[in-house]
């Protein structure tokens, strides 16, 4: 630690702190445009000027100098910095005047209005007049894709967007051309950006040069209600803020959570908003003579009751979808138990992972933040860029820190960081497990090796054998030790870990999702849209959109989407999280757990909870860890050892990708016109690459 004096306040700070960080640690406010804690230092904007005693007789850019570089006083006094002197005030006013020379007077029509750093800092540190009368610089707007709208006249060349795409996203789409007055920020050949994280440049832009294209001219920030919630587009559980106006969700923004998503979210998370408004189910339907007709809730419940009364309990089943909350799955499991059936499953993708192996066999045990502690990585049957793009950015962050060898077994893909390609399937995994090859030696030398197992390795008939072999590698190569559990399963369904925690899997003699979809008399689909149900079964669909499940259904019960209900989710690392209700379901749609509770009474199997707190109390009594919101309850490392003991030899078929189209993975995304446009752009890029 280094002792410094800032505006007369003595404080100890780490020597690697920048002067800007040291000043803020002392409580001083330092304006800035180009500096960002998660990006490299650029020193472009010069807004963060301060005065350093004993330094050069001019203001110093506080973002570009470290505390350890300061000289002490002549008698060993601590270095002194000043943030409010006349020199500093005049310097900041001068910098602001230069920044505004070419900036247009767009504030009344700019989407950044009300959230603009330039507005705020011009008010706080600028002057109220300008001495410049020359014409302002004009720059042509650029097309950079379906998500980011450009107004490049406003750009102040802070280069945050360039540094983000290059360093964090790992897809260097943006760059600067020209010099001086002719400098412009653009994509190469003015093509669309291709990163799954490109929307974050809108949050980073301190002016209105880059704004959200789908949200353009939709609302002002002071009109919106703000609700803190959790993302369910993947299993990472990114912290988000849902902004609403009246009953309508207007936009989704990231919140900072250092343990999960830092301050980034994926483009699907951010721009799926229009999918919440279209193709919504807002009234119950029943199928009569092959056509769906709107009915009342009582009529729909009556039809279900009559069908179940004549059904064999052993032929009744329930499948939960990827966006279901713990509460509704718990209630549905309770109802199925009372109906006398063990046919329940949340693994609609056919995953063979089994909670009976132990909780440690299906969690991302290293934790997302723990990726930064690992010193070697093996990826098995996964494409983190598509399955969990924010987590993939964390892997890239660790790679940029240095000394992080990465091996991949599965489909080759651009993961935004280099890796050693070890093979396509279980044969390569078996070779590695036997200690053959250069990467086996790398893993053996690692102090904290990380093994990531993806869904593509588990959604096969030999999934248990593949999982066992991966656990064997984790055990034999030192990934299991005190303070470190490197065996990590990467899920891509938000509901999956919560479902496994409450045991929403087939009971004794029960059928799994694939078997239920191919036979049975009555089948409940709780938002299950990623599975095809064969003709014959009477299908009851509880969901939000007119997607695959609703098309197959005989009875549709309209439910609530994730911004329209409060619910518990458990992310891939086992962190229990709470989503909060930001708006209300449309029409006669109701929260899913309430639908199940009302239906249970019609079926004469009344569930013993009449409110959400009562339901959560029942969940807490059965699974206490599910009420520890925000916490990860560590799994027993012995679970991984038991998984390794299963043994067996997997098939030779190569691992196939679990997600074909990043933008169209769930019914909300498939209802979104923005996601459809992104999908077309992504396919065009893939086709271009193939042609080349």
């Amino acid at each position: 630690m280094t002792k410094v004096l800032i505006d007369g306040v003595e404080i100890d700070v780490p020597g690697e702190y920048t002067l800007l960080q040291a000043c803020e640690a002392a409580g001083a406010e330092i304006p800035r445009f180009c500096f960002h804690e998660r990006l490299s230092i650029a020193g472009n904007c010069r807004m963060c000027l301060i005065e350093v005693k004993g330094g050069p007789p001019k203001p110093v850019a506080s973002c570009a100098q470290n505390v350890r570089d300061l000289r002490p006083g002549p008698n060993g006094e601590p270095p002194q910095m000043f943030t409010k002197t006349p020199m500093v005030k005049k310097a900041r006013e001068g910098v602001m005047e230069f920044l505004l020379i070419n900036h247009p007077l767009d504030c009344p029509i700019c989407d950044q209005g009300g959230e603009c750093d330039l507005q705020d800092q011009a008010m706080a540190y600028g002057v109220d007049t300008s001495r410049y009368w020359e014409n302002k610089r004009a720059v042509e707007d650029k097309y950079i894709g379906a998500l980011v709208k450009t107004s490049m006249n406003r750009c102040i060349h802070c280069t945050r967007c360039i540094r983000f795409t290059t360093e964090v996203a790992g897809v260097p789409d943006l760059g600067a051309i020209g010099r001086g007055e002719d400098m412009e920020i653009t994509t190469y050949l003015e093509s669309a950006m291709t990163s799954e994280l490109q929307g974050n440049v809108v949050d980073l832009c301190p002016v209105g040069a880059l704004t959200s294209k789908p949200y353009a001219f939709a609302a002002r920030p002071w009109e919106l209600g703000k609700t803190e919630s959790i993302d369910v587009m993947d299993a990472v559980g990114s912290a988000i803020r849902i902004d609403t106006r009246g009953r309508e969700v207007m936009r989704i923004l990231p919140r900072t959570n250092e343990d999960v998503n830092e301050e980034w979210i994926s483009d699907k998370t951010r721009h799926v908003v229009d999918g919440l408004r279209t193709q919504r189910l807002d009234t119950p339907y029943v199928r009569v003579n092959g056509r769906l007709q709107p009915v009342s809730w009582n009529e729909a419940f009556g039809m279900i009751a009559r069908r179940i009364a004549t059904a064999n309990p052993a032929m009744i089943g329930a499948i939960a979808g990827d966006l279901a909350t713990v509460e509704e799955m718990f209630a549905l499991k309770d109802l199925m138990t009372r109906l006398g059936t063990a046919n329940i499953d949340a693994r609609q993708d056919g995953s063979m992972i089994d909670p009976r192996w132990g909780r440690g066999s299906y969690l991302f045990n290293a934790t997302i933040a723990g990726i930064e502690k690992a010193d070697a990585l093996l990826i098995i049957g996964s494409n983190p860029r598509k399955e969990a793009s924010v987590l993939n950015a964390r892997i890239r962050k660790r790679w940029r820190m240095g000394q992080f060898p990465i091996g991949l077994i599965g489909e080759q893909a651009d993961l935004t960081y280099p890796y050693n390609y070890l093979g396509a399937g279980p044969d390569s995994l078996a070779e590695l497990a036997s200690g053959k090859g250069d990467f086996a030696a790398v893993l053996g030398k690692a102090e904290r090796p990380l093994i990531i197992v993806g869904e593509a390795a588990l959604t096969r008939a030999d999934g248990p054998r593949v999982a066992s072999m991966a656990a064997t590698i984790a055990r034999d190569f030192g990934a299991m030790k005190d303070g470190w559990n490197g065996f990590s399963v990467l899920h891509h369904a938000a509901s999956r870990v919560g479902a496994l925690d409450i045991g929403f899997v087939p009971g004794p003699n029960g059928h799994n999702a694939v078997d239920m979809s191919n036979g049975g008399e009555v089948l409940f689909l709780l938002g299950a849209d990623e599975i095809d149900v064969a003709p014959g079964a009477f299908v009851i669909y509880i969901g939000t959109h007119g997607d695959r499940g609703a098309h197959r259904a005989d009875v549709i019960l309209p439910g609530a989407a994730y911004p329209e209900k409060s619910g518990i989710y458990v992310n891939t690392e086992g962190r229990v999280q709470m989503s909060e209700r930001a708006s209300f379901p449309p029409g006669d749609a109701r929260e899913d757990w309430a639908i199940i509770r009302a239906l249970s009474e019609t079926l004469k199997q009344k569930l013993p909870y009449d409110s959400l707190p009562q339901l959560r109390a029942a969940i807490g009594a059965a699974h206490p860890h599910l009420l520890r919101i925000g916490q990860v309850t560590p799994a027993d490392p012995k679970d991984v050892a038991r998984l390794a003991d299963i043994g067996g030899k997997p098939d030779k078929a190569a691992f196939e990708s679990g997600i074909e189209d990043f933008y169209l993975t769930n019914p909300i995304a498939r209802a979104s016109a923005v996601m459809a446009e992104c999908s077309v752009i992504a396919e065009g890029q893939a086709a271009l690459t193939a042609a080349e």
Side-chain angles (χ1 to χ4, degrees), residues 32-36 39 45 96 99 103 110 112-122 154-161 163 200-211:
R32 87 292 298 268
F33 293 113
C34 67
F35 177 81
H36 192 277
L39 303 176
C45 72
M96 181 58 70
L99 289 175
H103 198 80
C110 176
Q112 199 84 350
E115 300 173 312
C116 178
D117 291 349
L118 188 63
Q119 274 185 337
D120 296 341
Q121 293 183 36
R154 303 169 186 160
C155 180
I156 61 170
H157 301 160
C158 70
T159 69
R160 279 186 181 183
C161 54
R163 285 175 283 149
N200 290 288
V201 301
V202 172
D203 297 331
L204 289 171
C205 184
V207 297
L210 303 177
T211 56

Side-chain angles (χ1 to χ4, degrees), residues 161-179:
C161 54
I162 297 174
R163 285 175 283 149
F164 172 82
T165 56
T166 304
E167 299 165 11
V168 179
V171 185
D173 289 320
L174 292 175
I177 59 174
R179 299 185 67 186

Side-chain angles (χ1 to χ4, degrees), residues 445-465:
K445 294 177 183 177
E447 288 292 322
R448 289 178 298 277
L450 174 59
I451 316 297
I452 294 181
V453 184
E455 289 290 334
L458 302 172
T459 54
R460 307 156 40 111
D462 62 347
R465 298 191 289 278

Side-chain angles (χ1 to χ4, degrees), residues 11-214:
I11 185 173
D12 289 324
V13 296
E16 62 270 15
Y17 264 29
T18 64
L19 304 189
L20 187 152
Q21 291 172 309
C23 291
E24 294 203 327
E29 182 178 340
I30 306 296
R32 87 292 298 268
F33 293 113
C34 67
F35 177 81
H36 192 277
E37 290 81 357
R38 303 185 200 280
L39 303 176
S40 60
I41 304 293
N44 293 341
C45 72
R46 320 308 282 184
M47 194 65 206
C48 62
L49 296 173
I50 63 171
E51 183 179 351
V52 177
K53 186 174 182 180
K58 61 179 182 178
V60 173
S62 60
C63 72
Q65 186 173 351
N66 287 355
V67 169
R68 62 169 170 256
D69 297 327
L70 295 177
R71 293 182 297 177
N75 299 315
E77 301 96 336
Q80 293 189 52
M81 292 174 273
F82 302 94
T83 66
K84 301 174 183 176
T85 62
M87 177 200 286
V88 172
K89 182 175 185 294
K90 184 176 180 180
R92 290 177 181 171
E93 288 177 351
V95 170
M96 181 58 70
E97 190 173 13
F98 275 120
L99 289 175
L100 294 178
I101 288 174
N102 286 311
H103 198 80
L105 299 176
D106 277 351
C107 297
I109 60 163
C110 176
D111 268 331
Q112 199 84 350
E115 300 173 312
C116 178
D117 291 349
L118 188 63
Q119 274 185 337
D120 296 341
Q121 293 183 36
M123 291 293 293
Y125 304 103
V127 291
D128 58 357
T129 58
S130 174
R131 294 174 289 176
Y132 290 88
W133 296 93
E134 290 80 3
N135 291 331
K136 293 181 180 290
R137 183 182 80 137
V139 181
E140 185 178 352
D141 292 342
K142 310 294 192 297
Y143 170 79
I144 60 174
L147 303 181
V148 182
K149 179 175 179 287
T150 62
S151 183
M152 303 314 291
N153 284 337
R154 303 169 186 160
C155 180
I156 61 170
H157 301 160
C158 70
T159 69
R160 279 186 181 183
C161 54
I162 297 174
R163 285 175 283 149
F164 172 82
T165 56
T166 304
E167 299 165 11
V168 179
V171 185
D173 289 320
L174 292 175
I177 59 174
R179 299 185 67 186
E181 188 181 37
D182 297 324
M183 180 176 170
E184 298 181 21
I185 308 296
T186 180
T187 57
Y188 301 102
L189 304 178
E190 294 197 23
S191 59
M193 297 173 69
T194 56
S195 170
E196 295 80 11
L197 300 170
Q198 62 182 275
N200 290 288
V201 301
V202 172
D203 297 331
L204 289 171
C205 184
V207 297
L210 303 177
T211 56
S212 173
K213 187 177 287 187

Side-chain angles (χ1 to χ4, degrees), residues 176 204 224 236 251 298 326 492 525 547 553 556-557 568 655 688:
L204 289 171
L224 305 176
V236 173
R251 65 177 178 178
N298 287 336
V326 168
H492 53 73
L525 298 181
D547 206 82
I556 295 175
L557 305 177
I568 294 172
F655 299 131
L688 177 64

Side-chain angles (χ1 to χ4, degrees), residues 284-550:
Y285 289 86
V286 298
R287 193 174 296 277
V288 179
N289 297 325
R291 298 179 66 86
L292 289 169
Q293 297 182 0
V295 295
S296 67
W297 280 100
N298 287 336
E299 289 175 303
F301 283 172
M303 186 173 184
I304 296 170
R306 290 191 295 273
R307 189 65 183 85
I308 287 182
T310 62
N312 178 1
M315 301 300 287
I316 299 174
I319 302 174
D322 293 347
L323 309 182
T325 66
V326 168
E327 290 91 341
E328 58 211 45
M329 289 189 291
F330 185 87
L332 184 56
K333 179 186 177 184
D334 196 351
L335 178 59
M336 292 297 104
T337 302
R338 293 168 187 269
L339 291 174
T341 180
N343 303 324
I344 58 173
D345 202 355
R347 304 164 301 179
Q348 59 175 337
D349 57 3
S351 174
M352 302 300 291
I353 203 144
D354 195 326
R356 285 181 281 269
W357 299 342
R359 197 162 183 261
S361 68
Y362 60 81
L363 291 185
F364 199 94
N365 292 293
T367 73
I368 296 170
I371 292 172
E372 296 181 27
K373 300 177 183 177
D375 53 3
L377 170 61
L378 173 64
I379 301 173
I380 303 170
S382 178
N383 181 342
R385 183 174 172 184
K386 285 187 176 181
E387 296 171 20
S389 51
V390 173
L391 183 143
N392 192 65
R394 183 84 72 151
I395 296 175
R396 175 175 168 79
K397 178 183 178 181
R398 173 61 187 89
W399 171 76
R400 292 185 72 243
M401 292 163 63
Q403 300 299 315
F404 191 53
I406 302 172
L408 172 67
I409 298 177
E411 282 193 4
Q412 286 186 277
D414 178 8
L415 299 182
T416 72
Y417 41 80
Y419 55 83
N420 300 294
Y421 186 63
L422 307 179
D427 285 349
S428 303
L429 193 61
E431 183 177 341
L432 181 65
S434 66
K436 298 178 182 177
D438 295 338
F439 199 78
V442 171
L443 276 183
K445 294 177 183 177
E447 288 292 322
R448 289 178 298 277
L450 174 59
I451 316 297
I452 294 181
V453 184
E455 289 290 334
L458 302 172
T459 54
R460 307 156 40 111
D462 62 347
R465 298 191 289 278
V466 174
S468 178
M469 188 173 291
T472 301
I473 292 175
R475 181 191 63 192
D476 295 347
F477 285 85
M480 316 293 303
K481 59 183 67 173
D482 289 342
W484 180 254
N485 184 347
F487 181 81
S488 302
V489 177
L490 179 57
H491 298 278
H492 53 73
S495 66
R496 187 63 50 82
V497 175
L500 296 173
D501 277 356
I502 65 171
F504 202 94
V505 293
N509 301 318
H511 297 292
N512 61 26
V514 176
D515 292 339
M516 283 187 274
S517 68
N518 292 324
E521 294 184 38
V522 179
L523 183 59
F524 287 84
L525 298 181
L526 182 60
D529 291 280
E530 316 307 320
I531 190 168
D532 291 315
V533 180
F538 181 83
V539 176
I540 301 145
Y541 177 74
I542 305 172
T544 59
H545 286 73
D547 206 82
R548 187 184 303 173

Side-chain angles (χ1 to χ4, degrees), residues 225-230 232 240-249 255 276 280 325 327 559-569 577-586 589-594 612-613 616:
K226 300 169 178 62
T227 306
E228 295 185 352
S229 191
I230 298 298
V232 300
I240 60 173
R241 193 187 84 195
I242 302 174
D243 288 358
T244 56
R245 184 173 60 189
R247 298 172 62 97
E248 187 176 8
V249 175
R255 288 187 295 120
L276 294 166
R280 288 300 301 270
T325 66
E327 290 91 341
Y562 72 98
E564 300 159 1
K565 59 188 175 185
S566 175
I568 294 172
Y569 290 92
Q577 300 174 299
M578 181 82 75
S579 70
E580 297 294 345
R581 182 168 64 188
S583 62
F584 293 89
R590 296 292 182 267
E591 293 187 37
D592 302 61
W593 78 267
L612 197 53
R616 286 178 178 157

